[in-house]
Amino acid sequence: MRSYLPFIAENLRFLAFGALAAFFSSFGQTFFIALFGGVWRADFGLSHGGYGAIYSAATLASGACLIWLGRKIDRVDLRRYTVLVCLGLTAACLFTAVVPSGWLLLPAFFALRLTGQGLMSHVSTVAMARYFNATRGKAISLASLGYPLGEALLPAIAVMLIAALGWRLSWGVFGGLLLVGLVPLMLWLLRGHGAREQARRDDAAAAAARRDDRSWSLRQVLRDPVFYPLILCMLAPPFIITGLFFHQVHLAETKGWSLQWLATCFVGFAGAQVAASLSAGALADRTGAVRMLPFYLPLLGLAALVLALFDHPGAAAAYLVLAGLTAGSSFILLGAVFAELYGTGHLGAIRSVVQACMVFATAGAPALFGWLLDAGIGFAAIATGCALYVAAAGVLLGLLQPPLRARAAEQTAAGASG
């Protein structure tokens, strides 16, 4: 941690911007939305499969839009882009507070997923990856602390608000707070960004003049045969964790855990994310994120096995801690790997596709898990299947190392020549 302190002091405001963008993405993340699943299913008469299908359809639509909207960050000033995303998230929360029927959860989920999980996360990751180079891992790891902060604080707050005010007023409170404070706070944290952007443009122009800018275009990336198996493997954590988190109310009921206990265990998930994120960020700067890929998935497989084999309340804490360790590393790798492989010249467009793929994965999991539950297939079988997916993905990431290291070495050589 000592190596982080001078870096934090030098870049505090911009790092805080990245962390808060990650934190406020929580309102569109599955772990948060799923806390309202029980009351929504009860109020609107939805089955597990029907509720999951609505959520998945909305998430798929948001992912499709993200491919287009996410690449705009390459051409729109970060300050203006951030303001528009923040206003969109605020409107999404306020609309969710007033939805009158189950089917109108579809546009509510769409807006929350697009602006929260999609665009707020996109802003955080692209900003850190684009404006830091040698310290990219540290920057992403520090900004990513916003995710576990949200996971540690918001579930307990949401459960208390639902009990005290009901779900509609709870979403109204969230939207009202965002309406009053979010845009001014983010703009204050971005003060002085014009000079940072000009310095980046000057560096890019100098690289182009030397003809050593080897950044891949989005079209080139989509033609790279390595890109697709890599994405398939790296989607394992968001797919599995989203599916389990979305049905966490039913999971708690099945296991005999109280929802309050499960919400409390999210503190362990958040703490594990923090530890893994800081460690992975520093390691990525020393060794490269690509070299870390084969080693970050096994703990998620172990988390799935714990869930499959044990019902004791302590299993909830163990499963969430193990999943948190993988999730913390995943944030760093998803943020840094594609910059290492393909450069930063078109990072917004590339990351928009990556983020959209992640959204598509998180769209499929709730519906799939819901249909399996409706069919009488329990969490033990679902978790076992998740463990097998993780094992296969870990083996494939090991086999992909030679071509991935070759692409990363090309980008490193281009940077060294400048």
Side-chain angles (χ1 to χ4, degrees):
M1 185 63 189
R2 185 176 301 172
S3 65
Y4 276 87
L5 296 179
F7 178 69
I8 294 172
E10 184 179 354
N11 302 283
L12 179 59
R13 185 174 290 180
F14 194 50
L15 292 170
F17 164 79
L20 286 176
F23 175 83
F24 288 117
S25 77
S26 297
F27 293 108
Q29 299 282 3
T30 298
F31 82 87
F32 184 78
I33 295 174
L35 293 168
F36 297 81
V39 292
W40 279 333
R41 284 192 290 107
D43 282 5
F44 298 133
L46 298 171
S47 67
H48 294 293
Y51 176 50
I54 292 173
Y55 188 77
S56 293
T59 304
L60 282 171
S62 73
C65 291
L66 183 60
I67 295 175
W68 176 69
L69 291 174
R71 66 192 304 172
K72 298 294 184 182
I73 201 172
D74 287 336
R75 297 187 292 274
V76 177
D77 183 87
L78 181 62
R79 290 161 291 192
R80 181 180 300 175
Y81 193 91
T82 300
V83 167
L84 293 173
V85 173
C86 291
L87 291 176
L89 179 60
T90 299
C93 291
L94 293 174
F95 177 72
T96 302
V98 298
V99 290
S101 66
W103 286 110
L104 283 178
L105 285 173
L106 181 66
F109 288 162
F110 167 80
L112 288 170
R113 299 292 276 165
L114 177 62
T115 57
Q117 184 216 21
L119 291 174
M120 288 297 279
S121 297
H122 187 60
V123 165
S124 175
T125 301
V126 171
M128 297 301 104
R130 172 168 285 158
Y131 295 101
F132 295 95
N133 190 7
T135 54
R136 182 180 293 125
K138 287 188 178 71
I140 295 173
S141 69
L142 290 167
S144 296
L145 296 182
Y147 297 113
L149 181 63
E151 289 154 358
L153 296 179
L154 292 177
I157 293 173
V159 170
M160 288 189 293
L161 284 177
I162 293 170
L165 304 176
W167 66 267
R168 292 189 184 276
L169 282 179
S170 298
W171 280 104
V173 168
F174 299 138
L177 292 175
L178 295 180
L179 181 64
V180 171
L182 183 56
V183 169
L185 175 60
M186 299 301 266
L187 287 178
W188 178 76
L189 292 172
L190 284 175
R191 285 178 61 187
H193 177 71
R196 182 185 299 110
E197 172 63 15
Q198 188 59 51
R200 185 191 72 83
R201 290 178 181 271
D202 290 344
D203 289 343
R210 293 191 304 267
R211 299 181 182 272
D212 61 2
D213 182 3
R214 305 183 189 181
S215 294
W216 293 45
S217 69
L218 177 59
R219 181 173 297 180
Q220 289 173 312
V221 171
L222 294 178
R223 291 175 178 173
D224 181 12
V226 174
F227 176 73
Y228 298 97
L230 174 63
I231 283 290
L232 181 64
C233 294
M234 297 190 73
L235 291 180
F239 175 83
I240 292 169
I241 293 173
T242 296
L244 294 174
F245 281 8
F246 185 79
H247 294 285
Q248 61 188 317
V249 173
H250 185 58
L251 172 64
E253 294 170 353
T254 301
K255 294 285 188 178
W257 306 333
S258 72
L259 189 58
Q260 289 78 10
W261 168 245
L262 190 59
T264 301
C265 289
F266 268 95
V267 176
F269 180 83
Q273 271 191 291
V274 171
S277 180
L278 292 176
S279 300
L283 187 59
D285 286 341
R286 288 199 302 270
T287 68
V290 168
R291 293 176 180 270
M292 298 170 59
L293 285 174
F295 307 107
Y296 84 111
L297 290 179
L299 289 177
L300 180 60
L302 186 58
L305 290 177
V306 167
L307 201 59
L309 298 174
F310 301 103
D311 294 337
H312 188 276
Y319 134 69
L320 284 171
V321 167
L322 290 167
L325 291 171
T326 298
S329 301
S330 182
F331 286 137
I332 307 308
L333 297 179
L334 279 168
V337 159
F338 298 97
E340 283 188 15
L341 293 174
Y342 303 120
T344 60
H346 304 278
L347 185 61
I350 296 167
R351 276 287 310 169
S352 71
V353 173
V354 173
Q355 188 75 9
C357 289
M358 187 177 73
V359 171
F360 292 150
T362 60
L368 176 60
F369 286 22
W371 289 328
L372 291 173
L373 291 170
D374 286 344
I377 298 173
F379 277 107
I382 291 172
T384 301
C386 291
L388 293 174
Y389 174 21
V390 168
V395 171
L396 183 53
L397 285 175
L399 296 175
L400 288 172
Q401 278 293 292
L404 292 176
R405 291 189 185 186
R407 285 158 176 74
E410 180 183 336
Q411 293 301 324
T412 301
S417 66

